[in-house]
Amino acid sequence: MTQNLLSTNRYFDFNITNYCNAGCPTCKRYTIPDNSYEENVVKPFLQQNKIHMDFNDYKKILLFNEEFFMGKNAQFCGEFGDPFMHPKIEDFTLFSCEIFDLLKINTNAGFNRKKYLRNVAHLKNKLCIFFSIDGMTNKTNNVYRVGVNTDLAFENMLLWNDLGCKSRWDFIVFQHNMDDVEDVIDFAMKNEIFLILKINLRKSYRNILKITKDQYDQIRKVVKKKNYKNMQFQDYYE
């Protein structure tokens, strides 16, 4: 890495694994073929090269560039795999929080990580976890988050909140889950969870349908009616 690259960036995104427990149809992991008769599968290079980043390699990278990483922020976004799937997620978290001011982790949370959450709860001022759950029921959430254990995802999110760590709930609105929005806001309000309500802006793909402008306007009315102060709403449509 060059000094210029490191000195001009505040956030560094690390893909620490390409293992994932979900099968989201429009995820970058998938081939997303235009032909409706062709199966939408995980890209061959990911199927053939399943890998977890070596923790010692990660540690060496950070320590070798410590003066540039120190005081900045990092993210385990999970574009090609869910960070919670890494068997050494706790080691990655603990060490990252020694170097970075803030670590963000994005996860579908449908993986048993309760022990991990309890073990890193003391880092609540440096660690922010975003729980990507797109439905109030397993049936609805699994339309997009295919294969995710939704009950377990909610348990993880609520546990993190109960530990005083203030969960962030990422909810993406599609046609199939838009009727859940009011219940989602109510649930977030009841449990004092910070809610990030996003509108899916990708084009419709098979059964994953983008909402219409009229439906978007309906969502805006619900958001305005609820007036939940602890919520970030993606207030635009394109």
Side-chain angles (χ1 to χ4, degrees):
M1 298 184 188
T2 66
Q3 180 170 346
N4 182 59
L5 170 65
L6 292 167
S7 61
T8 56
N9 280 274
R10 287 293 306 168
Y11 258 102
F12 298 92
D13 188 2
F14 297 91
N15 279 278
I16 64 172
T17 182
N18 62 16
Y19 282 74
C20 193
N21 57 316
C24 308
T26 60
C27 173
K28 291 180 180 179
R29 290 171 48 84
Y30 279 77
T31 52
I32 316 178
D34 292 328
N35 186 338
S36 60
Y37 295 100
E38 188 176 343
E39 187 179 3
N40 185 21
V41 297
V42 175
K43 292 174 180 176
F45 81 92
L46 289 173
Q47 293 185 46
Q48 297 162 10
N49 300 282
K50 291 185 177 180
I51 189 171
H52 296 301
M53 181 185 287
D54 184 276
F55 173 65
N56 289 324
D57 288 343
Y58 176 77
K59 193 172 180 179
K60 288 176 184 176
I61 292 171
L62 265 58
L63 290 176
F64 185 76
N65 298 283
E66 185 174 0
E67 63 182 286
F68 300 114
F69 284 127
M70 188 68 71
K72 296 183 180 177
N73 305 322
Q75 183 171 20
F76 300 158
C77 185
E79 286 184 312
F80 290 100
D82 194 290
F84 270 27
M85 293 289 288
H86 200 299
K88 292 196 173 184
I89 181 61
E90 187 172 332
D91 290 334
F92 275 84
T93 301
L94 293 172
F95 183 70
S96 296
C97 288
E98 291 180 16
I99 302 294
F100 296 105
D101 277 358
L102 178 68
L103 173 65
K104 292 184 178 181
I105 299 178
N106 298 78
T107 177
N108 62 62
F111 197 74
N112 192 352
R113 284 297 183 205
K114 293 178 183 177
K115 180 180 178 182
Y116 157 76
L117 293 173
R118 292 188 179 96
N119 288 348
V120 299
H122 65 285
L123 297 170
K124 62 183 179 181
N125 293 326
K126 301 195 72 175
L127 177 61
C128 188
I129 301 181
F130 293 76
F131 296 84
S132 300
I133 307 173
D134 300 326
M136 289 300 299
T137 66
N138 194 61
K139 180 179 179 180
T140 305
N141 188 43
N142 269 235
V143 174
Y144 186 68
R145 306 280 173 186
V146 179
V148 170
N149 184 328
T150 306
D151 290 338
L152 187 54
F154 273 110
E155 288 174 14
N156 283 325
M157 181 170 69
L158 290 172
L159 172 62
W160 189 241
N161 218 48
D162 290 343
L163 289 168
C165 300
K166 300 301 180 185
S167 301
R168 267 68 172 174
W169 182 0
D170 261 337
F171 186 95
I172 304 176
V173 182
F174 305 91
Q175 282 195 29
H176 67 263
N177 67 1
M178 61 173 289
D179 290 339
D180 279 8
V181 168
E182 189 163 355
D183 289 339
V184 165
I185 297 174
D186 287 341
F187 187 92
M189 291 175 69
K190 177 183 176 181
N191 293 282
E192 298 182 349
I193 296 172
F194 189 89
L195 176 63
I196 303 168
L197 201 62
K198 300 177 179 177
I199 306 299
N200 170 50
L201 297 178
R202 296 176 181 173
K203 65 180 182 179
S204 295
Y205 183 74
R206 298 187 179 180
N207 66 323
I208 308 300
L209 304 178
K210 178 180 177 180
I211 63 173
T212 65
K213 181 61 168 63
D214 287 342
Q215 290 170 329
Y216 167 73
D217 290 337
Q218 292 175 37
I219 298 296
R220 289 188 75 240
K221 289 178 182 178
V222 171
V223 170
K224 185 176 181 180
K225 180 181 73 172
K226 290 297 179 180
N227 194 30
Y228 181 36
K229 302 301 183 183
N230 205 19
M231 176 174 68
Q232 177 183 326
F233 176 53
Q234 177 190 304
D235 196 8
Y236 65 90
Y237 180 90
E238 59 183 37

